[in-house]
Amino acid sequence: MKICTNMKERIEQLQKKINQVKIDSKETLEQFRIQWLSKKSELQDLLSGIKNVVPKERKSVGALINKLKEEAEEKFNNYKEKFKETAQTQQLPDSYLPGQPIQLGSRHPLNLVAVQINTIFQSLGFSLADGPEIEDDWHNFSALNFPPEHPARDMQDTFFVDDEIALRTHTSSVQVRLMETQKPPMRYIMPGRVYRNEAISARANCFFHQAEGLYIDKKVSFADLKQVLFEFVRQMFGAECKNRFRPSYFPFTEPSAEMDISCFICGGKGCPVCKQSGWVEILGCGMVDPQVLSNSGHDPETYSGYAFGMGIERITMLKYSINDIRVFFDNDIRFLKQFI
Ligand code: DAH
């Protein structure tokens, strides 16, 4: 009987102790498990002492110990669950945090200007066209009236693939391809990449970009050409920008001219970019040579036309006051991100 009373008292004391245990971390939870639920715990000790209890009390004492054990287990499981939850919530991203800003890329300045050139000429009735960058001798040179001994055909200027094939040196080759396949009236703007075997410097690169223009119809005149180019300069550089035409020579146009604009950088006063002249050249142009018309299957007695070609790098450099062509191809983010 005495034993039984002792047992009950011990059970009550242990229950108090268990209730008082403070669990506030994974470590204290583990200590709790070892102290109260492991094989060496006091509760286990109590259970093995049951054989000393008088038989008629054994059942009720056993039930008390089991209840205590269950309570300890419940306490353990509750805290285990709680710590699992907090561990999980710590891993979850906070959905109320403002999002990370996504870095957007920017348009390449050459692309911005090429699109602007296309848009201006499209607004004047021109359609977009392009042609191959690897071109044959006929389309790049012969059909455009370049005599066999012309210096542009020289190995020093042209990247040849073999005797007949080269990387195109200008977009004028696309003119020939269009004239061979289309019937007048035709009005095209042809942007694209061209290649020249030149030493790389602040002013020259071994590849660059051009936009070529072509209009073939009956009774096309030089006045039509000037009118379109005036409008182009007005839209690209603004109404206050002056321009002038200078006579020039190209094998595929007759007469030929070059168009200058008042220097965009010094406003015409004179600076290193315009070599103190106040003018900078922006394009070559002229009336399509009758020989070029017949080379591509059109009767020069019936049709006439004009053509022009401009360097996209040159226009971009003037527009944004850039003094070194190499920056377009360096892929330096600090330069590129200025253009939105
Ligand atoms: N193809 C010439 C060049 O690369 C530019 C050019 C001049 C194009 C006169 C033309 C033109 O269509 O009529 O320098």
Side-chain angles (χ1 to χ4, degrees), residues 114-327:
V115 168
Q116 205 181 341
I117 294 171
N118 296 343
T119 312
I120 293 172
F121 284 105
Q122 282 174 307
S123 78
L124 297 170
F126 288 71
S127 303
L128 264 182
D130 62 9
E133 290 180 17
I134 302 173
E135 193 50 285
D136 54 38
D137 178 276
W138 171 255
H139 292 96
N140 198 74
F141 294 125
S142 299
L144 289 164
N145 249 354
F146 281 85
E149 68 286 355
H150 194 282
R153 290 177 172 232
D154 202 297
M155 282 294 282
Q156 270 147 21
D157 283 307
T158 307
F159 288 113
F160 282 99
V161 176
D162 59 31
D163 282 352
E164 269 299 302
I165 307 288
L167 300 185
R168 69 177 176 197
T169 58
H170 53 182
T171 42
S172 304
S173 53
V174 189
Q175 284 185 33
V176 182
R177 290 195 170 266
L178 288 170
M179 284 191 280
E180 282 173 345
T181 51
Q182 312 274 317
K183 277 202 183 117
M186 57 174 106
R187 207 182 332 220
Y188 284 102
I189 182 82
M190 303 149 249
R193 183 174 287 186
V194 303
Y195 301 82
R196 299 222 184 136
N197 194 356
E198 295 200 42
I200 296 169
S201 70
R203 298 172 66 88
N205 194 42
C206 53
F207 67 85
F208 55 99
H209 300 80
Q210 291 188 329
E212 190 85 10
L214 176 73
Y215 176 38
I216 311 279
D217 202 349
K218 289 177 180 155
K219 296 195 178 120
V220 177
S221 72
F222 203 91
D224 297 324
L225 169 65
K226 285 180 95 172
Q227 185 227 353
V228 178
L229 293 180
F230 285 160
E231 181 55 19
F232 165 69
V233 167
R234 194 185 68 79
Q235 287 198 38
M236 179 59 84
F237 294 104
E240 62 293 339
C241 181
K242 293 199 229 34
N243 65 72
R244 70 177 187 189
F245 281 76
R246 268 181 302 105
S248 185
Y249 172 78
F250 299 101
F252 41 91
T253 43
E254 182 57 38
S256 303
E258 281 173 301
M259 189 187 196
D260 296 340
I261 58 165
S262 51
C263 179
F264 207 67
I265 293 171
C266 64
K269 288 191 203 80
C271 71
V273 171
C274 60
K275 297 191 195 109
Q276 310 304 330
S277 71
W279 295 97
V280 280
E281 182 228 313
I282 57 158
L283 56 82
C285 61
M287 301 306 292
V288 179
D289 193 290
Q291 185 61 49
V292 173
L293 282 171
S294 50
N295 284 348
S296 47
H298 300 288
D299 177 7
E301 298 295 324
T302 316
Y303 293 110
S304 58
Y306 64 67
F308 56 85
M310 63 186 88
I312 298 178
E313 278 77 358
R314 175 159 263 254
I315 306 272
T316 312
M317 287 168 85
L318 289 171
K319 215 174 146 64
Y320 294 107
S321 302
I322 295 168
N323 58 12
D324 191 326
I325 195 170
R326 291 169 292 194
V327 295

